[in-house]
Amino acid sequence: MPDPYKLSDILTEDVTLHPVEPGLYSIYPTGNSPGAYDSVGVSAIYDMVACNGLYNRLMWGYSIKKYTPFCETSLASSPDGWVLDLACGSLAFTADMYARYPNRPVVFLDQSLNLLRKGKARLEKLMANIPGNRFYLHADALQLPFRANVFKTVISLNLLHCIHDVKTVLREIKRVSTDDGNFAATTLIRSGRWSDRYLHLLTESGALVSRSPDELLPEFNDMGMSITHTVEGNLTFIRYE
């Protein structure tokens, strides 16, 4: 039986898909990649450092083991319905989890082709049979190419501290989510630890955006999103249902 899920069915009419390789598509013309992680050196550093458990424990004060149960709560909330992994990166934290849920259709979206390729290879290595409901899409989180009311689950790990315009991202997430959908996100924040100073230095360099909970959480309130959140070290776990 053919898989009923097609990526083209959930895209806006003005979007043109450009095939990059089987299962991986771009909304940009071939060869045009605006992603900051598309140089080989930067994407390698991302996996070796930013996704390293010891680094995150020592620098930011949290365990990367918390990602799986946090995301799985959202993924397991429904037996069906589209899932959007927004700014999915290389799936360093979540590939094992997605391998256990082969029936839910997932769009893995990132602005980096290199990270999308890494994530695709990582997930396919874990799955003996590759389902036809996994799509890797090269696109922009600030201008999602999807129709309204499509996704039942949206997961976004560590995106918000990379962008200045949080409201636009939240507005887009609300637009593409179903009325009964859920949203799970993590982001670095200032929390009174010594590493706040390093976060400030990263902000000055243009790599990240430093925010306190008092600066971040009102962004959700302004969008009418009543959230729950917990903090571990410099990382906050945010859930909206």
Side-chain angles (χ1 to χ4, degrees), residues 54-200:
L54 181 60
Y55 165 80
N56 284 293
R57 168 60 74 186
L58 295 178
M59 178 59 67
W60 303 120
Y62 73 92
S63 170
I64 64 172
K65 294 180 180 179
K66 296 293 182 68
Y67 284 121
T68 295
F70 175 69
C71 294
E72 195 161 13
T73 297
S74 293
L75 199 60
S77 64
S78 174
D80 54 19
W82 281 93
V83 178
L84 172 63
D85 192 322
L86 188 58
C88 65
S90 65
L91 303 185
F93 304 125
T94 54
D96 288 347
M97 177 190 71
Y98 283 117
R100 295 195 298 272
Y101 290 84
N103 294 326
R104 291 201 68 180
V106 185
V107 177
F108 300 101
L109 184 148
D110 203 278
Q111 205 175 31
S112 166
L113 275 174
N114 274 351
L115 293 184
L116 283 168
R117 287 189 176 103
K118 285 188 174 187
K120 181 171 179 282
R122 180 171 270 135
L123 185 55
E124 290 179 349
K125 187 177 180 180
L126 294 170
M127 305 187 73
N129 298 308
I130 309 302
N133 58 7
R134 302 296 161 93
F135 306 94
Y136 301 82
L137 184 61
H138 183 221
D140 188 353
L142 290 169
Q143 193 172 3
L144 296 178
F146 306 111
R147 301 175 187 270
N149 305 313
V150 169
F151 294 98
K152 205 159 191 176
T153 298
V154 178
I155 294 171
S156 182
L157 300 182
N158 302 341
L159 167 65
L160 299 182
H161 61 241
C162 295
I163 58 174
H164 290 275
D165 192 357
V166 172
K167 277 193 176 66
T168 293
V169 171
L170 297 182
R171 186 178 298 112
E172 283 291 270
I173 289 170
K174 284 195 70 175
R175 180 182 66 80
V176 302
S177 296
T178 60
D179 291 339
D180 60 346
N182 60 80
F183 169 53
T186 64
T187 184
L188 290 173
I189 56 166
R190 298 194 308 273
S191 61
R193 299 181 70 247
W194 63 270
S195 48
D196 286 0
R197 183 176 180 183
Y198 182 55
L199 187 57
H200 176 69

